[in-house]
């Protein structure tokens, strides 16, 4: 169902001469897509937004999860004051959130839906199935067969379609990983209680793995976590009254404390100017796997965690999965489970984005050594008028683009540039 803004906002979808203009198409209605669309609408640029509003947060995360980011780092980017998470809470009579109150995903979803109604208006839930070049701009096709012309296209599809399951686990599911198979990825789940009473191995050592393990245990599954690293890292409980010496030594940023994080958050545009090797190193190393401080009590001493442990082989044996594990002392151990949950992250790979036509995909230059798009300072790819945002922009602009905190930087730049493009086409 589409939703609309109050009447006065609709006038923005017309040119100043009253003619309907070719719109900017935003593919995706998560934090990035909604923020870009809000800024475009505010300056009167016609925009069509496609996707499920806050879809990833409703359909690709398990019920009961919390955000790892703090309230101050979880604002969508509105074109004016009044659109922050704190504003939403205040307007709805909900208590203020502090760094010491983890945000339930359900609250963030409601905030995103409110933001959409207030700043974006119509969002079409159709999926974009093809984006192709046209004489001017692009041709866009939807899953219900409709076609439309776009002056510019903003890809804001987040991590959709980019889930990574390592080959050794993939062998457990010849038809592909999923809920009904012996192996699934965390992004397949909204309800982990389906595994109550079953033996589940969670592979991975980051927040997704640890929080899924806690939820599985609490739902009555017999769960253990298999972690490659030597130990599990946990975030520090926020200290709201840090003395100035500590604030100087380890400045705060939306992504945590420390000079590197503070610098990359302050100047994502500066990150883009680093040599590509340095940028990729930053992309791969900054913010490695760790669990949120508030999750620790639900995992440590509660759920068995094997560290320094690699899955070397996985085989299906009837309705069970047998995992061969290489232990730190060189021993090989076999573990039999009913299900394997791969909390093994995502891979940025333009080749698997299903809606870019071969001609468009072939024309998008990538960051050397990766399959992520090379982008200008305004997030435009080597295809004029085609923009990428969110995680796909992280190899160019740094780790902030992997998080909601990057929406302000991205949305303001994309909207300003795409708006100019629509008036000059
Ligand atoms: C388990 C987990 C926990 C996370 N926790 C945090 C956190 O605490 N804080 C934080 O800042 N970040 C967190 N993140 C990262 C988070 O994904 C991003 O911060 C944020 O959601 C990115 O927004 P986005 O708009 O780029 O993508 P998404 O939120 O993923 O939105 C993608 C949109 O694209 C749409 N879409 C996809 N394909 C198509 C198509 N073909 N046609 C039309 N629409 C399409 C979807 O329907 C959806 O609307 C977490 C990620 C995961 C996986």
């Amino acid at each position: 169902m589409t939703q609309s803004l109050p009447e006065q906002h609709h006038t923005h979808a017309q040119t100043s001469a009253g003619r309907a203009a070719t719109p900017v198409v935003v593919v995706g209605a998560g934090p990035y897509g909604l923020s870009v669309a809000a800024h475009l609408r505010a300056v009167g640029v016609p925009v069509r937004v496609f996707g499920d509003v806050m879809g990833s947060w409703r359909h690709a995360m398990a019920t009961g999860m919390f955000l790892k980011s703090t309230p101050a780092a979880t604002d969508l980017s509105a074109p004016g004051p009044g659109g922050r998470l704190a504003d939403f809470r205040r307007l709805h009579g909900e208590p203020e959130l502090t760094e010491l109150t983890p945000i339930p995903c359900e609250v963030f979803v409601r905030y995103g839906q409110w933001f959409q109604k207030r700043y974006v208006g119509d969002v079409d839930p159709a999926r974009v199935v093809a984006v192709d070049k046209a004489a001017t701009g692009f041709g866009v096709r939807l899953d219900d067969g409709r076609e439309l012309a776009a002056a510019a296209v903003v890809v804001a599809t987040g991590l959709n379609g980019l889930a990574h399951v390592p080959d050794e686990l993939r062998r457990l599911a010849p038809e592909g990983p999923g809920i009904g198979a012996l192996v699934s990825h965390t992004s397949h789940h909204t309800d982990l209680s389906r595994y109550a009473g079953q033996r589940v191995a969670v592979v991975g050592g980051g927040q997704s793995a640890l929080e899924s393990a806690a939820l599985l245990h609490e739902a009555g599954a017999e769960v253990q976590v298999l972690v490659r690293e030597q130990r599990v890292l946990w975030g520090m409980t926020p200290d709201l009254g840090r003395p100035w010496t500590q604030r100087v030594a380890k400045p705060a940023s939306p992504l945590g404390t420390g000079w590197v994080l503070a610098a990359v958050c302050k100047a994502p545009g500066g990150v883009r100017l680093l040599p590509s090797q340095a940028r990729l190193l930053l992309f791969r190393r900054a913010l490695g796997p760790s669990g949120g401080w508030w999750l620790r009590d639900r995992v440590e001493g509660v759920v068995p965690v094997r560290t320094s442990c690699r899955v070397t082989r996985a085989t299906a044996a009837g309705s069970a999965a047998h995992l061969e594990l290489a232990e730190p002392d060189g021993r090989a151990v076999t573990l039999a489970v009913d299900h394997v949950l791969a909390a093994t992250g995502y891979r940025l790979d333009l080749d698997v984005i299903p809606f870019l036509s071969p001609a468009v995909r072939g024309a998008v230059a990538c960051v050397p050594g990766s399959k992520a798009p090379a982008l200008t300072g305004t997030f435009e790819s080597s295809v004029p008028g085609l923009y990428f945002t969110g995680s796909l922009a992280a190899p160019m602009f740094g780790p902030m683009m992997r998080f909601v905190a990057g929406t302000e930087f991205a949305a303001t730049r994309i909207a300003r540039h795409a708006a100019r493009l629509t008036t000059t086409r």
Side-chain angles (χ1 to χ4, degrees):
M1 214 196 346
T2 61
Q3 281 166 314
S4 313
L5 277 172
E7 205 50 43
Q8 69 271 18
H9 292 262
H10 273 298
T11 55
H12 290 316
Q14 305 281 312
T15 61
S16 51
R19 282 177 283 113
T22 313
V24 173
V25 163
V26 178
V27 191
Y32 278 87
L34 293 175
S35 297
V36 173
H39 282 273
L40 285 167
R41 286 246 156 100
V43 292
V45 172
V47 54
R48 299 283 305 273
V49 188
F50 295 100
D52 219 349
V53 177
M54 300 298 281
S56 305
W57 295 85
R58 292 190 293 128
H59 308 304
M61 292 188 200
T63 306
M65 283 191 162
F66 289 83
L67 272 79
K68 199 174 164 193
S69 58
T70 59
T74 311
D75 294 326
L76 275 65
S77 174
R84 294 172 311 137
L85 175 60
D87 299 316
F88 163 77
R89 299 279 293 176
R90 202 168 35 250
L91 268 175
H92 290 82
E94 297 176 17
E96 194 183 339
L97 296 164
T98 72
E99 281 189 55
L100 292 170
T101 37
I103 309 164
C105 283
E106 163 274 320
V107 168
F108 187 53
V109 168
R110 282 193 293 112
Y111 164 55
Q113 291 168 329
W114 168 82
F115 182 97
Q116 173 248 320
K117 290 194 191 96
R118 189 178 167 109
Y119 294 106
V120 178
D122 286 353
V123 170
D124 191 323
R127 286 184 80 72
V128 169
V129 293
V131 170
D132 215 335
K133 286 183 178 174
T136 56
F138 300 88
V140 174
R141 188 152 40 84
L142 307 175
D143 59 355
D144 55 14
R146 282 179 291 156
E147 296 188 3
L148 73 153
V153 172
V154 181
V155 178
T157 48
L159 297 167
N160 278 265
L162 303 175
H164 171 68
V165 176
D167 287 343
E168 60 272 18
L169 297 182
R170 215 167 248 285
R171 289 197 192 99
L172 288 171
E175 309 292 310
I179 288 180
L182 276 176
V183 61
S184 60
H185 186 268
T186 43
S187 62
H188 292 134
H189 295 281
T190 52
D191 180 11
L192 289 170
S193 69
R194 64 182 300 114
Y195 297 111
Q198 297 189 32
R199 299 164 300 171
V200 182
V202 178
V203 180
Q207 174 74 7
S208 260
L210 300 166
E211 195 172 15
S212 299
L215 289 168
L216 282 161
H217 169 78
E218 288 155 11
E222 193 187 312
V223 58
Q224 55 181 297
V225 189
L226 310 178
V227 182
R228 231 176 4 185
E229 287 75 20
Q230 286 178 339
R231 63 193 187 99
V232 170
L233 296 178
W234 295 100
M236 304 266 283
T237 309
D239 177 359
L240 301 184
R242 289 197 310 151
W244 72 266
T245 42
Q246 270 186 33
R247 279 185 272 128
V248 170
K250 284 191 150 204
S253 84
L255 304 188
T257 55
W259 277 101
V260 175
L261 290 181
V264 298
C265 290
K266 195 87 190 147
V271 174
R272 191 183 147 268
L273 302 177
L274 294 172
S276 64
Q277 289 304 330
R279 264 189 284 116
L280 281 183
L281 201 65
L282 194 60
F283 173 71
R284 290 182 183 133
R285 297 273 172 83
L287 295 169
S290 72
W293 60 271
W294 45 265
L295 182 60
R296 194 167 186 164
D297 289 348
R298 290 166 59 197
V299 176
E300 247 182 18
V302 179
V303 176
V305 177
R306 284 177 191 242
T307 50
S308 302
C309 159
R310 254 178 344 103
V311 179
T312 51
R313 215 163 100 91
T315 45
S319 61
H322 286 183
L323 302 181
E324 282 179 27
L325 311 178
E327 295 273 290
D329 57 8
R331 275 182 318 135
V333 175
T334 303
L335 179 69
V337 291
D338 302 304
H339 190 76
V340 180
L341 182 62
T344 40
Y346 299 82
R347 290 280 186 276
L348 302 187
D349 182 354
L350 277 188
D351 291 341
V352 300
I353 295 203
F355 52 82
L356 298 177
S357 75
V360 171
R361 167 62 191 97
V364 178
C366 286
V367 174
S370 85
K371 287 188 177 178
L375 301 171
T376 66
T378 59
F379 290 76
E380 193 177 28
S381 68
S382 53
V383 175
L386 179 65
Y387 301 81
F388 290 89
T389 187
S391 285
L392 282 166
M396 288 301 297
F397 292 96
M400 196 155 75
M401 298 304 134
R402 288 163 47 194
F403 299 91
V404 179
T407 53
E408 174 78 8
F409 184 85
T412 49
R413 279 157 186 81
I414 295 172
R416 212 177 300 139
H417 196 258
R420 240 182 277 156
L421 211 73
T422 53
T423 53
T424 53
R425 277 195 194 282

